Amino acid sequence: MGIKRIHVSIAYATFGALVGISAFLVWNIAYKQPWTAAMGGLAGVMALWCLVTHIMYLQDFWRTWLKGLRFFMVVGVIFSITAATAFITFLTLAVTQKQSLTDPRSLYLSSVWSFLTLKWSFLLTVYSHRYRQEFADISILSDF
């Protein structure tokens, strides 16, 4: 019995949640940079949401609640748009203010964490869509 794809996704989402939450704590406590902390925390929350999606898939919870997957897709799209806007905004501000790339308080790091938030929210949308398609096919077959 080998490692299944879902188990790799669970491990990846767990790691992403831990890193995002630790970034939230580090940039709030050590560096006092609220924008980077907020985007790191949001990336951790999106990774945690992906983790919940995978665990609910393993528990076969989605079979009876396809509307929940639609809700997860909508949330993923909304946060993708928000993260893309934040990424462009932080990058523009960092360039126009001529901030240093090596400064831990620069907005370049906020744009990096905005991109990671974009990645996790996009993955939430993709996973929700994939699971919804899978269970929608099964529910159509069970009607006959």
Side-chain angles (χ1 to χ4, degrees):
M1 181 174 172
I3 298 176
K4 294 183 180 179
R5 183 176 177 179
I6 187 76
H7 293 117
V8 173
S9 296
I10 287 174
Y12 185 56
T14 303
F15 179 73
L18 292 174
V19 169
I21 292 168
S22 67
F24 173 76
L25 294 174
V26 167
W27 264 272
N28 256 333
I29 297 169
Y31 295 119
K32 307 270 191 272
Q33 193 356 319
W35 293 112
T36 306
M39 295 315 294
L42 188 57
V45 168
M46 289 288 107
L48 187 63
W49 212 325
C50 287
L51 177 65
V52 167
T53 305
H54 294 313
I55 290 173
M56 290 173 81
Y57 172 77
L58 274 181
Q59 294 176 344
D60 206 24
F61 186 78
W62 293 123
R63 185 179 312 272
T64 59
W65 195 45
L66 290 176
K67 288 184 181 181
L69 282 170
R70 182 180 301 164
F71 172 71
F72 277 32
M73 285 191 315
V74 169
V75 167
V77 168
I78 289 170
F79 279 107
S80 292
I81 293 168
T82 303
T85 304
F87 173 73
I88 293 167
T89 302
F90 287 136
L91 196 59
T92 303
L93 286 173
V95 169
T96 56
Q97 293 176 1
K98 295 181 176 64
Q99 294 185 349
S100 171
L101 284 171
T102 57
D103 183 16
R105 291 185 180 93
S106 75
L107 291 177
Y108 284 113
L109 286 174
S110 300
S111 65
V112 168
W113 281 104
S114 298
F115 183 77
L116 290 173
T117 302
L118 175 64
K119 176 194 77 163
W120 283 113
S121 56
F122 177 75
L123 284 175
L124 177 65
T125 305
V126 168
Y127 294 143
S128 299
H129 179 70
R130 185 182 301 157
Y131 296 153
R132 190 173 186 331
Q133 291 297 103
E134 180 179 334
F135 287 122
D137 293 343
I138 292 171
S139 67
I140 289 171
L141 291 175
S142 65
D143 288 341
F144 292 108

